[in-house]
Amino acid sequence: MSKTRRAASTGLAVLLSAGAVAALSGCSPQADAPLTRAVATFQVVDQSFKVELATPELVEHAQKLLDGEDVSAIPLGTVVRGDASVNEPWTWHIDPATLEFADFTTEVCDGLPEYVEDGTVTSDVYCPWSAKITAIEPLAD
C-alpha cells in the first residue's frame, strides 16, 4: 500500500472512530447547541403549569432560575383563555410574546393555576409569586 493511500486510510479510520465515540456517548454538534425555544414547567404550591420560552434570552433566564441563581423569578404574562397550547391540561396559556420575569408584581395577578382556570384570577395577566421552576424541555416543533 502506498504512503498516501495508507495515510488516507488511517485518517478515515480516525474520523470513523471519533464519530463512533460521539455517537455512543450521545454527543453531537447539535446536542451541545443552546436551546433557542423551550417549555418551562413551574410549580405553584401543589399545582404546576407550563410556559413557552420563545427566545434564547428567556431560555437562558429560565436556566439561571433552575440553576438557583438570584435573578428575577416571577413569571409574568398575558393569559390566553380557551387554548392550552403547551399548558395542558389547563385550558389557558401565557402568551409567549408577553412573557417576562419580574422581581415583584401587583397582587391582582397572583394565585394558583386553578384560579386562572376557574376565573378567580380575573386579571388578563398571571404572575404567581410562589412559582418555582422545576424543568426546562426543548419545544417540540
Side-chain angles (χ1 to χ4, degrees), residues 54 58 75-80 93-101 124-125:
L58 287 171
L76 167 72
T78 303
V79 176
V80 178
H93 71 276
I94 299 294
D95 179 353
T98 66
L99 178 66
E100 57 185 288
F101 290 94
D124 289 339
V125 175

Side-chain angles (χ1 to χ4, degrees), residues 35-115:
L35 293 175
T36 57
R37 294 176 56 213
V39 175
T41 302
F42 289 89
Q43 190 75 26
V44 182
V45 186
D46 62 347
Q47 298 177 10
S48 65
F49 72 100
K50 294 182 177 193
V51 176
E52 179 182 338
L53 306 171
T55 68
E57 294 79 16
L58 287 171
V59 174
E60 181 180 342
H61 190 96
Q63 187 61 55
K64 287 178 181 179
L65 283 173
L66 193 59
D67 293 342
E69 292 187 34
D70 187 20
V71 294
S72 301
I74 302 171
L76 167 72
T78 303
V79 176
V80 178
R81 299 179 192 274
D83 176 9
S85 182
V86 299
N87 194 30
E88 291 181 341
W90 305 110
T91 61
W92 58 271
H93 71 276
I94 299 294
D95 179 353
T98 66
L99 178 66
E100 57 185 288
F101 290 94
D103 291 316
F104 54 89
T105 63
T106 62
E107 188 175 2
V108 71
C109 58
D110 181 30
L112 297 171
E114 76 177 272
Y115 296 168

